[in-house]
Amino acid sequence: MRLIPWIRTTNGCVWLASMAVSRSNRQTNDWLSRRGNKRVRRLDTNLTGKSGNLPQALAVRFLRECVSYIPVGDSVAMRCESAIPDKQFRVWKRWFKTHEDPCWEISEEHKSFFYYKQGSVE
């Protein structure tokens, strides 16, 4: 799982969350740097790898921790870009509706999830 600054705005930053399930650190590092080799192409065609849903649950836990550390005014975007994005979106949508903070916005059109961290209201 990674969280990188994606779009800088006048009020903060939009962070892009993405995850990869791979067999080796080399494959993950190649995917993160988007190299044009066989390891990256294989990872782009996998949905969950051999571990099933455990990596997905670990990714959500990591994302929850990251949201607590990002500054007020920033937002997080998570897009479904797996080999089967419709299936991934259905799974994540059900998870976010039942288990996560209701402040997450779900975009059916973009198959994405958005979270804006607001300051405390005084």
Side-chain angles (χ1 to χ4, degrees):
M1 185 75 185
R2 72 174 175 176
L3 193 65
I4 58 170
W6 185 36
I7 301 171
R8 301 210 185 271
T9 63
T10 56
N11 298 332
C13 180
V14 177
W15 296 81
L16 179 63
S18 55
M19 78 170 271
V21 180
S22 69
R23 293 182 180 186
S24 67
N25 285 337
R26 172 179 260 178
Q27 188 178 25
T28 304
N29 289 335
D30 285 354
W31 178 79
L32 290 172
S33 59
R34 299 306 303 163
R35 293 196 181 152
N37 59 22
K38 182 171 71 171
R39 288 184 294 273
V40 173
R41 287 189 296 278
R42 275 203 185 148
L43 198 53
D44 282 341
T45 60
N46 286 338
L47 178 61
T48 57
K50 291 188 171 191
S51 303
N53 291 327
L54 177 64
Q56 306 277 342
L58 293 174
V60 170
R61 204 173 296 158
F62 175 78
L63 190 58
R64 244 187 257 136
E65 289 177 22
C66 289
V67 165
S68 66
Y69 289 114
I70 65 169
V72 172
D74 283 8
S75 58
V76 176
M78 191 169 113
R79 299 185 298 183
C80 295
E81 297 179 316
S82 68
I84 311 169
D86 294 329
K87 182 177 180 181
Q88 185 184 29
F89 181 73
R90 282 194 315 271
V91 170
W92 281 109
K93 181 179 169 184
R94 178 178 284 174
W95 178 269
F96 274 84
K97 281 187 173 182
T98 58
H99 296 93
E100 294 303 315
D101 187 353
C103 293
W104 281 90
E105 293 291 324
I106 300 172
S107 171
E108 300 267 346
E109 179 185 350
H110 299 104
K111 293 183 180 39
S112 301
F113 304 89
F114 301 98
Y115 181 82
Y116 177 71
K117 188 167 185 178
Q118 298 178 352
S120 60
V121 179
E122 296 178 30

